[in-house]
């Protein structure tokens, strides 16, 4: 990073016509300051050069192409995942809307039944009203299903001494 605190380039490549000149430049400039001027933007920054034996420009282009392809594949995977999550959310919203419509229709039917039932006496009307209110409360609040699981007894470790005496009891309970 150096003295400037601003990072402009991370890596770069230089091509030389003669490989011997490239090797000499890499040895000469490696780990040297970029400039001697104190007011320069690059003061305090060091060169970090390597001579890459057998490295050609098509290798560099292939590496860059592979990075681009990998980045595009990652982006496509992220987009597909986001689309899947959005579709799941929309499906749940649609499902909730259908459920609320069904509940609304059930409530409307219950109100129609209540209005269509003729009542002759006050006692029968109060019992019919009580029945209708219980129907509407059932429609408004679906019952929660609470699952209860029985706790099983502890089985002894088969390597212990008690395992041989308990094994007959366990086999009898299973069979």
């Amino acid at each position: 990073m150096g003295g400037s605190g601003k990072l402009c380039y991370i890596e770069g490549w230089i091509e030389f016509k003669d490989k011997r000149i490239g090797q000499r430049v890499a040895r000469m400039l490696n780990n040297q300051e970029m400039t001697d001027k104190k007011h320069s933007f690059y003061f305090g920054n060091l060169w970090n050069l390597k001579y890459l034996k057998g490295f050609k420009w098509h290798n560099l282009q292939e590496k860059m192409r592979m990075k681009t392809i990998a980045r595009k594949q990652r982006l496509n995977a992220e987009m597909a995942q986001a689309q899947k999550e959005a579709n799941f959310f929309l499906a749940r919203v649609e499902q909730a809307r259908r459920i609320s419509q069904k509940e609304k229709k059930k409530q409307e039917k219950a109100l129609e039944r209540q209005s269509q039932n003729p009542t002759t006496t006050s006692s029968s009307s109060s019992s019919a009203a009580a029945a209708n209110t219980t129907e509407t409360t059932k429609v408004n609040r679906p019952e929660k299903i609470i699952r209860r699981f029985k706790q099983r007894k502890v089985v002894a470790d088969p390597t212990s001494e008690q395992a041989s005496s308990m094994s007959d009891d366990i086999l009898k309970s299973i069979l």
Side-chain angles (χ1 to χ4, degrees):
M1 196 115 156
S4 65
K6 186 175 180 183
L7 185 64
C8 292
Y9 296 102
I10 296 173
E11 57 185 18
W13 294 268
I14 305 170
E15 183 178 19
F16 294 94
K17 287 186 178 182
D18 188 9
K19 74 176 188 178
R20 289 185 186 130
I21 294 173
Q23 291 171 341
R24 277 183 51 205
V25 169
R27 276 194 309 261
M28 187 174 61
L29 290 179
N30 189 32
N31 209 20
Q32 297 294 322
E33 285 192 24
M34 289 185 180
T35 183
D36 295 335
K37 298 176 185 175
K38 285 201 171 197
H39 297 291
S40 173
F41 178 76
Y42 298 104
F43 182 77
N45 291 339
L46 300 177
W47 288 107
N48 182 11
L49 300 177
K50 288 183 190 175
Y51 176 77
L52 302 175
K53 184 177 178 182
F55 189 80
K56 304 290 182 198
W57 276 107
H58 64 86
N59 297 1
L60 174 64
Q61 292 171 347
E62 182 180 337
K63 181 180 176 183
M64 298 301 268
R65 200 173 322 124
M66 292 302 287
K67 281 184 179 180
T68 306
I69 289 170
R71 188 176 70 243
K72 285 182 181 179
Q73 286 176 346
R74 264 195 320 273
L75 183 63
N76 287 341
E78 289 175 8
M79 293 295 288
Q81 181 65 26
Q83 185 67 31
K84 187 186 263 187
E85 289 174 3
N87 289 341
F88 179 76
F89 176 75
L90 291 175
R92 290 296 182 173
V93 168
E94 181 64 24
Q95 183 181 14
R97 187 184 61 80
R98 279 189 264 130
I99 289 171
S100 65
Q101 284 180 345
K102 284 181 181 180
E103 289 177 358
K104 192 175 183 180
K105 284 184 182 181
K106 283 182 183 180
Q107 287 177 354
E108 290 173 0
K109 285 183 181 180
L111 290 174
E112 285 180 21
R113 285 186 205 143
Q114 183 181 8
S115 63
Q116 289 177 356
N117 285 341
T119 55
T120 54
T121 61
S122 62
S123 62
S124 64
S125 65
S126 64
S127 64
N132 285 333
T133 57
T134 56
E135 284 180 25
T136 57
T137 56
K138 286 180 184 176
V139 171
N140 290 340
R141 286 182 268 142
E143 294 181 23
K144 287 186 176 180
I145 299 173
I146 300 174
R147 295 189 174 114
R148 298 174 194 249
F149 298 99
K150 293 181 181 177
Q151 188 161 354
R152 297 179 181 167
K153 295 180 181 178
V154 178
V155 179
D157 186 21
T159 59
S160 69
E161 296 173 10
Q162 296 177 351
S164 60
S165 64
M166 291 183 63
S167 63
D168 295 334
D169 297 333
I170 294 171
L171 289 175
K172 287 179 185 177
S173 65
I174 294 172
L175 301 172

